[in-house]
Amino acid sequence: MLNKIRPALGRVLTPVGQAVARTGVSPNAITVIGTIGVAAGALVLFPRGEFFWGTMVITAFVLFDMLDGAVARVTGKISAFGAFLDSTMDRVADAAIFAGLMIGLYRAGQEPLAGVALYCLVSGVVVSYAKARAEGLGYTCNVGIAERAERLIVALVAAGFDGLGVPYILAVALWGLAVLSTVTVGQRFAAVYAQARPGAGAGAGNGAQNGAEKTPEPRP
């Protein structure tokens, strides 16, 4: 859903990317540093119940990580490996965020909600993998009500407000994400199934016949 604003976001980030590029920092270094920062904030602060400060640290590094694409564009260092690294590091960051929430909730005696956080972690991985695998087989899979950006915004906003003492907001957000992620998986299965049916056309190219995979998009 938020994919529609990415062109405008790219235009906003380009001047910042130009400034960062002058420092000599590479896009891949930005990706790795951003991921380490997100993982550290999530796995150090969230398990201690510091949901507000954990959210602040994670948000800062998420914003920093968004500059990798802008720096790559202005320096001409766009590469297939950079896209692969970015996509893979995104999965690491997502897992760290929901794992941190799960541990923090479990330590706080909220075992059922910790289980929901675990479900959100697993379903988020399935959402991303479904798209990557489908596109590796030559299908189109640009559907889904809750893609990565939406899941992160909902989880981090809710965690931040929970850290400020707002009751029930994290529980509502996690249960909502669990439902929306499940729906998104269903949407992607349905989209690929519709293309894979006999007579649906040449939706799958050589990848579907040979099982060849291609590099997933940077941010599915």
Side-chain angles (χ1 to χ4, degrees):
M1 294 173 66
L2 293 180
N3 286 336
K4 297 178 181 178
I5 70 171
R6 281 181 181 168
L9 183 61
R11 290 192 292 271
V12 172
L13 290 176
T14 295
V16 182
Q18 291 172 334
V20 174
R22 287 194 287 270
T23 68
V25 179
S26 71
N28 290 347
I30 292 174
T31 298
V32 173
I33 293 170
T35 302
I36 292 174
V38 168
L43 296 177
V44 173
L45 295 174
F46 279 176
R48 296 168 56 186
E50 298 286 349
F51 288 165
F52 175 76
W53 290 113
T55 297
M56 293 298 100
V57 171
I58 291 168
T59 301
F61 279 101
V62 166
L63 294 175
F64 176 77
D65 181 59
M66 292 172 63
L67 294 174
D68 57 0
V71 173
R73 286 191 297 272
V74 301
T75 59
K77 294 182 178 179
I78 297 175
S79 67
F81 176 76
F84 167 79
L85 178 68
D86 186 59
S87 185
T88 303
M89 291 297 100
D90 283 348
R91 306 289 81 76
V92 173
D94 294 354
I97 290 170
F98 284 100
L101 285 173
M102 178 186 68
I103 297 170
L105 290 168
Y106 182 83
R107 287 182 172 178
Q110 301 185 61
E111 290 88 351
L113 195 55
V116 178
L118 175 60
Y119 181 87
C120 289
L121 189 162
V122 175
S123 59
V125 171
V126 176
V127 166
S128 297
Y129 179 79
K131 179 177 180 178
R133 182 57 177 159
E135 293 183 344
L137 293 172
Y139 297 110
T140 300
C141 198
N142 294 317
V143 297
I145 191 172
E147 296 189 278
R148 180 180 187 257
E150 289 86 348
R151 296 195 304 272
L152 279 186
I153 290 173
V154 171
L156 291 177
V157 169
F161 278 108
D162 181 87
L164 291 175
V166 178
Y168 306 117
I169 188 168
L170 186 56
V172 171
L174 290 177
W175 278 105
L177 280 178
V179 172
L180 293 176
S181 297
T182 303
V183 171
T184 301
V185 172
Q187 289 176 307
R188 294 189 169 180
F189 268 84
V192 174
Y193 178 75
Q195 297 171 70
R197 288 180 303 171
N206 293 331
Q209 298 174 16
N210 301 326
E213 291 193 54
K214 67 180 180 180
T215 303
E217 292 182 7
R219 297 184 184 277

